[in-house]
Amino acid sequence: MEWYFAYKDELENVFRQAEERTSTFPAPFQQEGLDYLARFNPLREDSTRNYICYLLPFWLQELTGLPPETCRKLSLGNVFVMAHYLIQDDVMDTATDNRKTQLALSQLFYTECLSVYRDLFPATSPFWSYARVYVDEWAVSVTSEGTEDYFQGERNKVALKASPLKMAGTGALLLAGRADLIQIITDMTDLALLVLQMSDDWADWSEDLVEHSYNCLLSHISAEQKTAYCEGLGPKQIQEAIYVRGALASYVNIADQAVQQLETLEPSIHGLRSFAHSITAELGEMAAEIEGGRSHLRRGGLDYWLSKNMK
């Protein structure tokens, strides 16, 4: 994880700044905001590690030549972007009792994001046009999940749910005078985001099935069974597809293809490539473990599999 450890000190600085800014929120949102940030602080053992959100400006630093302080500002803006949109997603996906509080906190995070980016980009900067595109892509993506099976039809669109985090990468290129690279870096980022979403969906498929949230793995299993998305799929059918028919192995092949495509694109962004490769490697290890279990089944271990998985 060189793509992470090389920037650990920088992330500590960025999250310290994020916490300082959040501490200025009006009561009672200081603690609410700090608690929320802690869930995503990669320096904490119990956090969700959305590395690409914070590290993208640093991964691009060799290409852009931007000073560390500028990369920190771009990363800080993305911390608040991430917090805002993750709350929006949570509110859309679940009927929570504290929805008013969540939406208010989300707006405070977004206002902080705008404050950070206004210091870097004047009103006339093309940055704001790109930012609008990314928000539009997010809006269409999150409202289309119930009707569009992107993983089968237009797989590149799976990444658009996370489009706003591309603000930091595009911002870095604009500040470096490399607007000519925005499209290719966007394509590369989308490939990494596709792989990341595939990994998240492997981890969350049972929860997504219950909540009727779109999930790439469930889409993949539905396609392998030649049915409409999730048609006739319950937990037992999905577990059978994964643990008996090897659906995860073929799913990992798709992730591998995305990484291979990323590795053919230039300029080479080592951190981004390594990040995507590490995700597919973890998925591959899980698929290999399951394949080992399938070999056990073929040797007569059906009762063992049923006791482990069909609950």
Side-chain angles (χ1 to χ4, degrees):
M1 288 177 56
E2 179 188 354
W3 49 266
Y4 164 65
F5 289 114
Y7 307 103
K8 192 174 180 181
D9 290 344
E10 296 287 8
L11 287 182
E12 184 175 355
N13 186 310
V14 167
F15 271 85
R16 182 168 60 249
Q17 291 185 55
E19 290 166 357
E20 289 172 356
R21 285 173 173 262
T22 302
S23 296
T24 67
F25 287 177
F29 294 102
Q30 302 101 325
Q31 194 57 51
E32 291 270 359
L34 289 171
D35 290 344
Y36 197 79
L37 285 180
R39 292 170 53 187
F40 306 101
N41 187 333
L43 303 171
R44 294 173 59 102
E45 287 297 325
D46 58 346
S47 73
T48 300
R49 292 169 171 79
N50 294 331
Y51 297 108
I52 191 171
C53 298
Y54 338 117
L55 289 174
L56 190 54
F58 297 106
W59 291 339
L60 292 171
Q61 192 173 13
E62 183 177 352
L63 175 66
T64 62
L66 294 176
E69 181 57 33
T70 301
C71 293
R72 290 184 207 119
K73 286 182 179 179
L74 290 163
S75 178
L76 178 63
N78 251 25
V79 169
F80 290 121
V81 166
M82 175 209 66
H84 167 69
Y85 284 101
L86 286 178
I87 291 177
Q88 295 288 310
D89 290 347
D90 287 345
V91 171
M92 290 180 188
D93 291 342
T94 59
T96 58
D97 294 333
N98 64 336
R99 181 172 296 183
K100 287 184 179 180
T101 300
Q102 284 187 301
L103 289 174
L105 179 61
S106 173
Q107 188 57 43
L108 291 171
F109 281 137
Y110 191 64
T111 300
E112 209 60 41
C113 146
L114 294 178
S115 176
V116 173
Y117 283 138
R118 276 198 299 264
D119 286 343
L120 293 169
F121 305 101
T124 55
S125 170
F127 172 84
W128 300 106
S129 296
Y130 284 107
R132 174 59 187 269
V133 169
Y134 301 147
V135 174
D136 287 352
E137 289 176 345
W138 168 84
V140 172
S141 179
V142 296
T143 55
S144 300
E145 284 189 327
T147 57
E148 302 290 338
D149 190 356
Y150 285 146
F151 194 68
Q152 299 307 319
E154 298 175 276
R155 192 165 291 152
N156 62 304
K157 290 188 175 181
V158 168
L160 300 187
K161 186 176 180 179
S163 270
L165 72 82
K166 290 180 282 194
M167 291 182 193
T170 292
L173 293 169
L174 289 171
L175 291 173
R178 296 307 309 267
D180 58 305
L181 294 177
I182 288 176
Q183 186 57 58
I184 187 64
I185 298 299
T186 295
D187 293 343
M188 295 165 71
T189 304
D190 282 345
L191 285 166
L193 289 171
L194 167 61
V195 172
L196 178 61
Q197 188 63 57
M198 290 179 67
S199 176
D200 288 347
D201 286 356
W202 154 247
D204 298 339
W205 72 260
S206 58
E207 180 181 340
D208 288 342
L209 182 67
V210 172
E211 296 178 354
H212 305 289
S213 297
Y214 184 77
N215 183 289
C216 294
L217 178 62
L218 301 183
S219 170
H220 178 65
I221 292 172
S222 298
E224 285 198 332
Q225 297 190 8
K226 296 181 172 55
T227 64
Y229 177 77
C230 275
E231 183 178 298
L233 287 183
K236 291 185 178 181
Q237 289 79 16
I238 296 165
Q239 289 172 331
E240 181 182 351
I242 294 169
Y243 294 100
V244 177
R245 295 202 301 275
L248 185 61
S250 54
Y251 186 68
V252 171
N253 286 339
I254 296 172
D256 282 336
Q257 290 168 18
V259 172
Q260 290 167 15
Q261 183 180 353
L262 173 58
E263 291 177 343
T264 66
L265 299 177
E266 297 292 341
S268 173
I269 309 299
H270 177 71
L272 192 62
R273 287 184 177 183
S274 298
F275 171 70
H277 185 271
S278 70
I279 294 171
T280 56
E282 289 181 1
L283 277 175
E285 289 171 5
M286 183 59 65
E289 182 180 331
I290 290 171
E291 179 59 31
R294 293 175 64 206
S295 297
H296 183 80
L297 294 182
R298 288 191 288 269
R299 295 193 300 269
L302 181 59
D303 289 341
Y304 170 81
W305 181 82
L306 290 172
S307 70
K308 289 290 184 182
N309 298 292
M310 300 294 280
K311 297 177 180 179

